[in-house]
Amino acid sequence: MGGADARIIRNTALVILALVALRLVAAAFTPITFDEAYYWMWSKNLAGGYYDHPPMVAYVIRAGTMIAGDTELGVRLVSILLALPMSYAIYRTAAILFGGARVAATSAILLNVTMMASVGTLIVTPDAPLLVASSFVLFFLAKVLETGRGVWWLAVGAAVGAALLSKYTAMFFGAAILIWLASVPKLRRWFLSPWPYRGGLVALALFSPVILWNADHHWVSFVKQLGRAKIEDFRPVYIAELIPTQIAFATPLVFILGAMGLHALTWRRAGALASRVLIETMFWTIVAYFVWHSLHARVEANWFAPVYPPFIVAAAAAANLAQWKPRARRLVDFCLRWAAPTGIVMFAALILQANTGWLSGYRRDATVRSVGVGWRELAAGIEAERARYGASCVLTPDYGTTGWLAFYLPRGSCVVQQNQRIRWVNMPEPDPNLLTGKLLYLDEIRPDGHPFLNELFAKVTRVGELQRKRGPLVVETYGIDLLEGAKGDVLDRSPPPELAP
C-alpha cells in the first residue's frame, strides 16, 4: 500500500468516525419516533418473529439498551455503530469491483452522507440492519468474484440470512444473484457447484425462526407483508412519489452521481463485465419490484435501503472511473466536491427541525407526527391524572401511542393497546386484575368520540385534555377518559384483518 492510499484510508476513517459521532450526539437528545418505541417494546420480549417484521430490529435495540439503558441513545446505539462495519463492507466492495482506494473511499463516504444511512441508522427501523446486511451481501459476492473460492458462498448465505431476519425485502437477493450468475458467462459454472446451494441453506437456517414463528401464528406476518400490493388495486399515482423521495433520501448530489454511475456502467462499459452486472442486478432487481408495487400501493422512501450499497458504488464509479465529456465532467466534479457537505447540512437541518420546528417557523412538517417531541411532558401529565383517579392501567387505540407511553411513563406502568392484540402476541398478557378497576383511555380528541367505550364500561367520563407541543405548535390534543365498571373483557381480541374470514 502506497503512502497516498494509506492517507486516503486514514482520512476516510476519520470522516466516517466523525459522522458516526455526530449521529450519536443527535440520538441522545432527539426523542424517539413511535416506530422506535414500538420496536423497543418488542426488544423486551424477544421472539422469532413479529406481526409486522422479522426480529432483527428488536435484537439490535436490545443490544443497545443493555449497554446504554432504556434511553433514546440506548435504543439507537447499536444501529448507529453498525455504520462502521457497513462502511468497511462498502469500502472493500468498491475496491474489489473497481479497484483503487479512491473509488473505495468515495463509496464509503457517499453512503454515510446519504439520508438513508445517516437518518436511517439514527432512527431504528428494520431498514437499518437491512442496509448493513445488504452491504455485506454485496461485499461477499465481490469476494466470490475476486477469489473464485466457493467457501465465500457460505458468507453470502449468512449475509442474506441476516438481511432476511431484518426485512422480507431481502428475498429479492436470491433472484438478483441468479440473474448475475446467468448473465456473466464465466460465472455460470457456479450453477454446477454445491457451494451456492450450501449458502442458500445457511440463509434458510438463519431465517428458520421466522418461518417457525409464522407457522405458529397462522402465517400472519407473511400474509401481511407479502399481500401489501394487490394486483387488482391499480393506482399508478404512487409511482410519481418514487424519484422525488429518493432524491431526498440519497441527497440530490449523490442521487445525480448514482444515476450517472448506473448509466456509465450500462452504456460506457466502466469496469469489468462481472462487476458491472453485479451492481446492476443488485440494484435493478429490487427497484423493478418497487416500481411494480408503486403501481398498486405506496412505497415508503426507506424501503429502498437494500439498493443503496450498489447505487453508491455506481456513484463512486461515475466520479472516479467513467470518462465524461467536459460538461458532464464538471457536473460530476461539482457533485463529488459538495455531496458530503450537502448531506451533512441536510442531516443537521432535519435534526434541528425535528426537535425544535425553527426552520418552518413552528409550523407543521413531515417530522412532527412521527418524532416524539413533547411526549415526555405529555406522559408526565398523564401520570398525574392516573395517580389522581387511582387508575390501574392506561388503554390506548394504536401501537404508536402505546409505545410512546410505555417508553416515557415510569417503568413498569401498565399500558395496553385495546385493539389489534396480534401486535402484542409475544408479550405476556396484562394482569386481569389491572383491567377490572378504574382505567384511563387516551386518544386524540375526535368529533364522534369513542362510542364503543360505552359498550365496554358502565361509566365513561372525560376527565381531562392534554396537548403535545413542539415549542408553541400544538401537535395533537388528547382526551383522557376515566373508565369504570368493566362489563367483561375490555380488550378487542378479534383476529387481524389478514386472518379475518
Side-chain angles (χ1 to χ4, degrees), residues 26-41:
F29 67 77
T30 301
I32 62 173
T33 66
F34 63 84
D35 276 339
E36 289 178 296
Y38 179 43
Y39 301 140
W40 168 76
M41 294 188 74

Side-chain angles (χ1 to χ4, degrees), residues 50-116:
Y50 298 87
Y51 172 59
D52 304 84
H53 295 291
M56 184 65 82
V57 66
Y59 284 86
V60 168
I61 292 174
R62 180 66 170 270
T65 55
M66 289 176 65
I67 299 169
D70 292 319
T71 62
E72 287 88 348
L73 179 60
V75 169
R76 296 159 169 161
L77 179 63
V78 169
S79 176
I80 293 173
L81 293 180
L82 283 173
L84 299 175
M86 175 191 75
S87 301
Y88 170 80
I90 207 70
Y91 182 98
R92 291 288 300 126
T93 299
I96 292 169
L97 296 182
F98 297 105
R102 190 167 298 278
V103 176
T106 301
S107 296
I109 292 174
L110 288 182
L111 180 58
N112 275 276
V113 299
T114 64
M115 301 295 274
M116 182 67 76

Side-chain angles (χ1 to χ4, degrees), residues 56-57 60 76 78-80 82-83 86 116-117 119-135 166-167 302 305:
M56 184 65 82
V57 66
V60 168
R76 296 159 169 161
V78 169
S79 176
I80 293 173
L82 283 173
M86 175 191 75
M116 182 67 76
V119 178
T121 57
L122 169 65
I123 305 300
V124 190
T125 69
D127 297 289
L130 176 62
L131 177 62
V132 178
S134 300
S135 299
S166 302
K167 205 169 184 181
N302 53 296

